[in-house]
Amino acid sequence: MSGKTIDEELMGKFLPVEEIKTCPHCGSDKLIYDPVRGEVICAICGYVISEREIDKGPEWRAFDGEEKEKRSRVGAPITRYTPDALATDIDWRSRDAAGRELGLRKKVEMFRLRRWHMRAHAQSSLERNLIQAQQELDRMGAQLGLPRRVLDRAREIYRRALETGLVRGRSIESVVAAAIYAACRELKVPRTLDEISKYTRAGRKDVARCYRLMLRETSIKVPLPSPMDFAPRIGNVLKLSAASVRDAIDVLKQAQQIGITAGKDPAGLAAAAIYIAALRRGEVRTQKEVARAAQVTEVTVRNRYKELAKRLKIDLPVKKP
DNA sequence: AAGACGAAAGTGGTTGA
DNA sequence: TCAACAACTTTCGTCTT
């Protein structure tokens, strides 16, 4: 083994998805798209390609300041943003353009028009909020590599939250993040709160608070996270065989039956099960690797797997001669 | 030199008064 | 709102390969 893992080799490199034709791991060109998890996977070695490697930089290159200035499309908008089609206002003074007092009939009509104008405006504020939220949703979805159906569901959830009045006083971003988190859990595409809040300016805490509030105030119900949903993803990152992943899920099932999974971090449990399963199949991964793939610490993997091994009476192959 | 292990102290979140 | 609490993280020293 020479030094770096594949993860480390690829880290920080820009790999625009469209440009990848062959697997960076084994060189095969048999890449398949898994729409369920929104990932491109190498059919030969199982390497997950598209998940995190999204090029967030510009698609152009500039060699001096002037060129950069010209090509950059970010910064203050050139034209003023018009919130909706009704940007005009109706004057409250009942006078015409020349300053003459209006007749009674006209006054009444203007009053009515004004009222409808306000109503149309108010309604569009909801629409406007949705449009902005949609932008956030698309951005975060792309950065997290989430499939369409999750985003669609997240949008529905967001709309519900908006209609319930949950967004008022909170940032759109954090509520969108909460909606995405809820959608992920509902559709069993596990993403941790940490992963999601990484792409928002609102902190993890904010997102979590919005999420909890959302569960309480709207009638959205979300199944409890199961460690078994995490196992395939961790297996993918570590490039383990499908058999090992199946074994790991088996271990988790047993653990659930004897009731030692309650209150434990599902990612940590899944990591431990993966570690055990891989070891038993001779696909040795270090605790560190497993921990990193599951985004928990080494210590947690260790504690969980000790517990699992003890309670399930699994003996591990110590080493090979 | 790297991995596994466990102890101890610290952290963030939940719960119940 | 506060304190108690359980789970997880960080850090560190030791042992094994």
Side-chain angles (χ1 to χ4, degrees):
Chain A
M1 273 287 269
S2 67
K4 288 176 163 177
T5 65
I6 286 163
D7 268 356
E8 277 162 1
E9 276 170 28
L10 291 178
M11 207 188 303
K13 292 191 183 165
F14 291 140
L15 298 173
V17 175
E18 321 79 56
E19 283 182 18
I20 298 178
K21 295 288 188 293
T22 58
C23 170
H25 179 222
C26 70
S28 141
D29 60 353
K30 302 237 180 327
L31 303 183
I32 46 172
Y33 177 65
D34 177 0
V36 176
R37 297 189 187 278
E39 297 162 347
V40 174
I41 297 165
C42 171
I44 304 301
C45 68
Y47 186 80
V48 181
I49 292 157
S50 74
E51 202 196 18
R52 203 61 35 114
E53 292 105 359
I54 289 174
D55 187 353
K56 298 190 197 84
E59 86 286 21
W60 41 261
R61 287 198 293 176
F63 299 96
D64 59 37
E66 198 191 346
E67 205 169 16
K68 193 172 172 188
E69 193 70 41
K70 256 190 244 162
R71 296 198 178 170
S72 179
R73 287 185 296 271
V74 294
I78 295 162
T79 57
R80 183 177 153 272
Y81 172 55
T82 311
D84 58 61
L86 299 167
T88 52
D89 252 332
I90 298 175
D91 202 341
W92 54 271
R93 285 173 307 220
S94 307
R95 289 173 190 277
D96 67 11
R100 284 186 298 261
E101 188 82 10
L102 295 174
L104 183 62
R105 280 180 78 117
K106 263 288 181 227
K107 270 190 192 163
V108 171
E109 192 189 332
M110 287 314 288
F111 178 78
R112 223 176 51 239
L113 272 178
R114 244 192 321 262
R115 196 167 62 192
W116 280 107
H117 183 84
M118 298 295 279
R119 283 184 190 168
H121 206 75
Q123 196 201 347
S124 74
S125 95
L126 195 119
E127 297 287 318
R128 236 179 311 145
N129 185 311
L130 269 179
I131 289 167
Q132 210 183 327
Q134 182 70 50
Q135 279 168 4
E136 287 295 330
L137 197 66
D138 287 339
R139 178 183 65 80
M140 291 177 61
Q143 281 174 332
L144 288 160
L146 292 171
R148 196 71 246 163
R149 67 201 177 91
V150 173
L151 297 184
D152 286 347
R153 180 65 189 138
R155 198 188 55 216
E156 272 176 54
I157 293 173
Y158 180 85
R159 180 185 264 277
R160 283 266 277 288
L162 186 62
E163 281 161 2
T164 322
L166 278 184
V167 186
R168 168 169 297 197
R170 264 168 270 275
S171 71
I172 289 176
E173 217 185 356
S174 54
V175 181
V176 166
I180 289 179
Y181 181 60
C184 280
R185 287 191 37 184
E186 205 176 284
L187 299 174
K188 305 217 186 288
V189 181
R191 292 291 185 276
T192 62
L193 207 48
D194 284 301
E195 283 175 272
I196 292 172
S197 51
K198 205 158 58 189
Y199 297 104
T200 68
R201 250 158 309 161
R204 178 212 143 94
K205 234 178 139 177
D206 243 355
V207 178
R209 198 156 357 108
C210 287
Y211 172 68
R212 255 184 321 221
L213 205 74
M214 221 158 67
L215 287 197
R216 215 150 31 85
E217 302 295 328
T218 69
S219 51
I220 295 162
K221 65 219 168 303
V222 170
L224 285 174
S226 156
M228 291 181 248
D229 299 327
F230 285 85
R233 198 154 93 91
I234 301 171
N236 265 340
V237 175
L238 294 172
K239 296 173 286 301
L240 293 171
S241 66
S244 291
V245 174
R246 240 181 298 119
D247 286 359
I249 291 178
D250 223 52
V251 170
L252 291 170
K253 262 187 205 148
Q254 291 176 43
Q256 218 150 50
Q257 265 162 27
I258 63 169
I260 54 173
T261 60
K264 305 281 167 53
D265 178 3
L269 273 165
I274 286 277
Y275 178 68
I276 292 173
L279 224 56
R280 283 207 290 185
R281 290 211 172 253
E283 300 180 289
V284 183
R285 299 290 184 275
T286 65
Q287 293 179 356
K288 202 194 214 160
E289 285 174 309
V290 178
R292 225 162 62 98
Q295 302 182 53
V296 295
T297 62
E298 225 176 306
V299 182
T300 303
V301 176
R302 200 148 59 223
N303 291 340
R304 284 295 84 76
Y305 112 79
K306 283 276 164 199
E307 198 178 320
L308 285 178
K310 195 171 148 203
R311 299 291 304 274
L312 296 173
K313 310 230 168 29
I314 296 171
D315 27 74
L316 296 160
V318 186
K319 76 213 115 172
K320 35 206 174 132

